Amino acid sequence: MLRNLLLQLVRAPVEALRSRRERQVSPALESALARFEEEKYADAVEACRAVIAQAPRSARAHRLCGRALLALDRHDEAVLHLRTAVAADPGLAETHAELAAALLRTGDLANAEASCRQAVVLRSGELAHRLLLVEILEAANRPGDALAELSVAQELAPERYDLLVRLFREVSRLGMHAEALHIAERAMLDNGESLETLYLLATAR
Protein backbone atom coordinates (compact mmCIF):
# COMPACT_ATOMS: atom_id res chain seq x y z
CA MET A 1 0.00 0.00 0.00
CA LEU A 2 2.74 2.46 0.94
CA ARG A 3 4.73 1.79 -2.21
CA ASN A 4 1.64 2.44 -4.34
CA LEU A 5 1.03 5.72 -2.52
CA LEU A 6 4.61 6.82 -3.08
CA LEU A 7 4.35 5.99 -6.78
CA GLN A 8 1.11 7.96 -6.96
CA LEU A 9 2.79 11.00 -5.41
CA VAL A 10 5.90 10.75 -7.55
CA ARG A 11 4.05 10.19 -10.82
CA ALA A 12 1.43 12.88 -10.27
CA PRO A 13 1.12 15.18 -13.29
CA VAL A 14 3.73 17.94 -13.46
CA GLU A 15 1.63 20.42 -15.43
CA ALA A 16 1.32 22.74 -12.43
CA LEU A 17 5.09 22.96 -12.29
CA ARG A 18 5.30 23.65 -16.00
CA SER A 19 2.59 26.31 -16.08
CA ARG A 20 3.98 28.22 -13.10
CA ARG A 21 7.70 28.06 -13.93
CA GLU A 22 9.87 31.14 -13.51
CA ARG A 23 10.60 32.80 -16.85
CA GLN A 24 14.32 33.25 -16.29
CA VAL A 25 14.92 29.52 -15.87
CA SER A 26 12.14 28.10 -18.03
CA PRO A 27 14.32 26.35 -20.66
CA ALA A 28 16.33 24.52 -18.00
CA LEU A 29 13.22 23.68 -15.98
CA GLU A 30 11.46 22.45 -19.11
CA SER A 31 14.39 20.10 -19.71
CA ALA A 32 14.14 18.81 -16.13
CA LEU A 33 10.39 18.28 -16.51
CA ALA A 34 10.91 16.36 -19.75
CA ARG A 35 13.46 14.04 -18.15
CA PHE A 36 11.11 13.48 -15.22
CA GLU A 37 8.15 12.63 -17.46
CA GLU A 38 10.36 10.13 -19.31
CA GLU A 39 11.09 8.56 -15.89
CA LYS A 40 14.78 9.39 -16.33
CA TYR A 41 14.94 10.45 -12.72
CA ALA A 42 18.72 10.68 -12.34
CA ASP A 43 18.86 12.96 -15.37
CA ALA A 44 15.97 14.98 -13.95
CA VAL A 45 17.93 15.50 -10.72
CA GLU A 46 20.91 16.85 -12.62
CA ALA A 47 18.71 19.09 -14.74
CA CYS A 48 16.99 20.42 -11.60
CA ARG A 49 20.35 21.19 -10.06
CA ALA A 50 21.19 23.28 -13.11
CA VAL A 51 18.00 25.26 -12.48
CA ILE A 52 18.81 25.62 -8.80
CA ALA A 53 22.27 26.92 -9.61
CA GLN A 54 20.55 29.85 -11.36
CA ALA A 55 17.64 30.22 -8.93
CA PRO A 56 18.54 28.74 -5.51
CA ARG A 57 15.09 29.43 -4.03
CA SER A 58 13.05 28.03 -6.92
CA ALA A 59 10.23 26.11 -5.24
CA ARG A 60 9.39 24.30 -8.47
CA ALA A 61 12.93 23.13 -9.15
CA HIS A 62 13.43 21.94 -5.58
CA ARG A 63 10.07 20.18 -5.58
CA LEU A 64 10.74 18.41 -8.86
CA CYS A 65 14.21 17.46 -7.67
CA GLY A 66 12.72 16.08 -4.47
CA ARG A 67 10.19 14.03 -6.38
CA ALA A 68 12.88 12.59 -8.64
CA LEU A 69 15.06 11.73 -5.64
CA LEU A 70 12.07 10.09 -3.97
CA ALA A 71 11.61 7.93 -7.06
CA LEU A 72 15.29 6.96 -6.80
CA ASP A 73 14.87 6.03 -3.10
CA ARG A 74 17.32 8.76 -2.14
CA HIS A 75 15.09 9.87 0.69
CA ASP A 76 17.48 11.98 2.78
CA GLU A 77 18.34 14.10 -0.26
CA ALA A 78 14.67 14.33 -1.19
CA VAL A 79 13.86 15.70 2.26
CA LEU A 80 16.38 18.52 1.86
CA HIS A 81 14.95 19.66 -1.47
CA LEU A 82 11.32 19.27 -0.43
CA ARG A 83 11.92 21.25 2.76
CA THR A 84 13.29 24.08 0.64
CA ALA A 85 10.29 23.84 -1.69
CA VAL A 86 7.86 24.01 1.24
CA ALA A 87 9.67 27.01 2.72
CA ALA A 88 9.53 28.82 -0.62
CA ASP A 89 5.88 27.95 -1.36
CA PRO A 90 4.15 26.85 1.88
CA GLY A 91 0.63 26.94 0.47
CA LEU A 92 0.96 23.92 -1.82
CA ALA A 93 -0.54 20.82 -0.23
CA GLU A 94 1.13 18.41 -2.64
CA THR A 95 4.62 19.52 -1.61
CA HIS A 96 3.82 18.98 2.07
CA ALA A 97 2.58 15.47 1.21
CA GLU A 98 5.68 14.68 -0.81
CA LEU A 99 7.85 15.88 2.07
CA ALA A 100 5.81 13.69 4.44
CA ALA A 101 6.41 10.66 2.23
CA ALA A 102 10.15 11.30 2.16
CA LEU A 103 10.26 11.80 5.93
CA LEU A 104 8.32 8.58 6.44
CA ARG A 105 10.91 6.72 4.41
CA THR A 106 13.70 8.15 6.59
CA GLY A 107 11.88 7.08 9.75
CA ASP A 108 11.19 10.62 10.96
CA LEU A 109 7.59 9.85 11.85
CA ALA A 110 6.86 12.93 13.97
CA ASN A 111 7.81 15.35 11.22
CA ALA A 112 6.20 13.13 8.59
CA GLU A 113 2.93 13.35 10.48
CA ALA A 114 3.22 17.13 10.89
CA SER A 115 3.86 17.60 7.16
CA CYS A 116 1.06 15.28 6.15
CA ARG A 117 -1.41 16.96 8.49
CA GLN A 118 -0.52 20.28 6.90
CA ALA A 119 -1.25 18.77 3.49
CA VAL A 120 -4.62 17.57 4.82
CA VAL A 121 -5.39 21.03 6.21
CA LEU A 122 -4.65 22.61 2.84
CA ARG A 123 -6.60 19.98 0.85
CA SER A 124 -8.90 18.08 3.18
CA GLY A 125 -10.61 16.21 0.37
CA GLU A 126 -7.46 14.69 -1.16
CA LEU A 127 -7.66 10.92 -0.64
CA ALA A 128 -3.98 10.19 -1.27
CA HIS A 129 -2.91 12.58 1.48
CA ARG A 130 -5.34 11.03 3.95
CA LEU A 131 -4.14 7.51 3.13
CA LEU A 132 -0.54 8.63 3.52
CA LEU A 133 -1.44 9.88 7.00
CA VAL A 134 -2.90 6.43 7.77
CA GLU A 135 0.41 4.82 6.76
CA ILE A 136 2.39 7.23 8.95
CA LEU A 137 0.18 6.59 11.98
CA GLU A 138 0.38 2.84 11.48
CA ALA A 139 4.17 3.08 11.27
CA ALA A 140 4.07 5.02 14.55
CA ASN A 141 2.07 2.15 16.12
CA ARG A 142 -0.99 4.31 16.74
CA PRO A 143 -3.78 2.03 15.49
CA GLY A 144 -6.62 4.07 16.97
CA ASP A 145 -5.53 7.27 15.25
CA ALA A 146 -4.85 5.38 12.02
CA LEU A 147 -8.35 3.87 12.16
CA ALA A 148 -9.91 7.32 12.60
CA GLU A 149 -8.12 8.61 9.50
CA LEU A 150 -8.96 5.46 7.54
CA SER A 151 -12.64 6.03 8.38
CA VAL A 152 -12.40 9.55 6.96
CA ALA A 153 -10.65 8.19 3.85
CA GLN A 154 -13.42 5.67 3.30
CA GLU A 155 -16.02 8.43 3.60
CA LEU A 156 -14.11 10.46 1.00
CA ALA A 157 -14.25 7.56 -1.45
CA PRO A 158 -17.32 5.42 -0.61
CA GLU A 159 -17.04 3.74 -4.01
CA ARG A 160 -13.67 2.26 -3.02
CA TYR A 161 -14.65 -1.21 -1.84
CA ASP A 162 -11.03 -2.00 -0.98
CA LEU A 163 -11.09 0.77 1.63
CA LEU A 164 -14.26 -0.65 3.16
CA VAL A 165 -12.60 -4.08 3.39
CA ARG A 166 -9.48 -2.55 4.91
CA LEU A 167 -11.62 -0.68 7.45
CA PHE A 168 -13.39 -3.93 8.34
CA ARG A 169 -10.09 -5.73 8.88
CA GLU A 170 -8.76 -2.94 11.09
CA VAL A 171 -11.81 -2.76 13.36
CA SER A 172 -11.84 -6.56 13.59
CA ARG A 173 -8.17 -6.62 14.53
CA LEU A 174 -8.86 -4.09 17.29
CA GLY A 175 -11.69 -6.22 18.66
CA MET A 176 -14.43 -3.76 17.69
CA HIS A 177 -16.97 -6.44 16.81
CA ALA A 178 -20.11 -4.28 16.65
CA GLU A 179 -18.39 -1.90 14.26
CA ALA A 180 -17.14 -4.83 12.18
CA LEU A 181 -20.67 -6.19 11.86
CA HIS A 182 -21.98 -2.77 10.84
CA ILE A 183 -19.31 -2.48 8.13
CA ALA A 184 -20.02 -6.00 6.86
CA GLU A 185 -23.74 -5.25 6.63
CA ARG A 186 -22.98 -2.02 4.78
CA ALA A 187 -20.74 -3.95 2.38
CA MET A 188 -23.61 -6.33 1.75
CA LEU A 189 -25.98 -3.47 0.95
CA ASP A 190 -23.48 -1.78 -1.34
CA ASN A 191 -22.08 -4.83 -3.12
CA GLY A 192 -24.65 -7.61 -2.82
CA GLU A 193 -24.06 -11.19 -1.76
CA SER A 194 -20.63 -11.70 -3.24
CA LEU A 195 -18.35 -14.32 -1.72
CA GLU A 196 -16.28 -11.59 -0.13
CA THR A 197 -19.20 -9.77 1.48
CA LEU A 198 -20.63 -13.08 2.76
CA TYR A 199 -17.23 -13.86 4.24
CA LEU A 200 -17.06 -10.47 5.93
CA LEU A 201 -20.53 -10.93 7.37
CA ALA A 202 -19.74 -14.44 8.63
CA THR A 203 -16.46 -13.28 10.17
CA ALA A 204 -18.13 -10.34 11.91
CA ARG A 205 -20.74 -12.61 13.47
Side-chain angles (χ1 to χ4, degrees):
M1 184 69 177
L2 176 57
R3 185 62 183 171
N4 289 339
L5 276 173
L6 291 176
L7 288 173
Q8 184 177 345
L9 289 170
V10 166
R11 293 175 179 172
V14 296
E15 287 307 310
L17 288 164
R18 176 176 283 110
S19 63
R20 297 172 60 196
R21 65 182 182 267
E22 298 92 334
R23 291 182 181 178
Q24 67 270 27
V25 294
S26 58
L29 185 57
E30 187 63 42
S31 175
L33 287 163
R35 301 290 82 73
F36 184 90
E37 289 177 317
E38 294 165 0
E39 298 184 13
K40 296 178 179 178
Y41 298 122
D43 292 342
V45 169
E46 294 308 311
C48 285
R49 286 177 173 160
V51 177
I52 292 166
Q54 299 176 52
R57 296 288 297 169
S58 169
R60 297 159 190 81
H62 280 288
R63 182 187 172 202
L64 186 64
C65 193
R67 287 174 64 177
L69 289 163
L70 194 57
L72 294 167
D73 292 330
R74 291 160 59 180
H75 305 119
D76 289 318
E77 294 173 81
V79 166
L80 294 175
H81 285 282
L82 291 167
R83 281 194 193 280
T84 303
V86 164
D89 188 3
L92 193 61
E94 290 79 3
T95 313
H96 287 278
E98 290 153 6
L99 175 58
L103 288 164
L104 172 58
R105 292 302 242 177
T106 67
D108 187 351
L109 300 181
N111 283 316
E113 181 184 351
S115 292
C116 198
R117 288 196 182 280
Q118 185 59 35
V120 168
V121 166
L122 291 168
R123 287 192 64 184
S124 60
E126 180 57 49
L127 180 63
H129 300 171
R130 191 73 63 169
L131 290 175
L132 178 59
L133 183 55
V134 172
E135 297 294 336
I136 293 167
L137 293 168
E138 287 184 346
N141 195 28
R142 290 162 55 191
D145 293 335
L147 178 60
E149 296 298 338
L150 182 58
S151 297
V152 175
Q154 199 280 323
E155 290 172 4
L156 288 173
E159 75 285 356
R160 286 277 302 270
Y161 185 64
D162 62 311
L163 293 182
L164 191 64
V165 171
R166 184 177 178 185
L167 187 61
F168 171 84
R169 289 173 178 163
E170 287 302 309
V171 298
S172 298
R173 186 173 64 84
L174 293 173
M176 302 167 66
H177 302 300
E179 290 82 354
L181 180 58
H182 174 71
I183 292 169
E185 289 172 344
R186 192 170 71 188
M188 181 75 74
L189 288 173
D190 292 344
N191 297 279
E193 295 186 0
S194 67
L195 287 176
E196 188 166 27
T197 55
L198 290 170
Y199 172 77
L200 294 183
L201 194 59
T203 303
R205 290 173 174 167

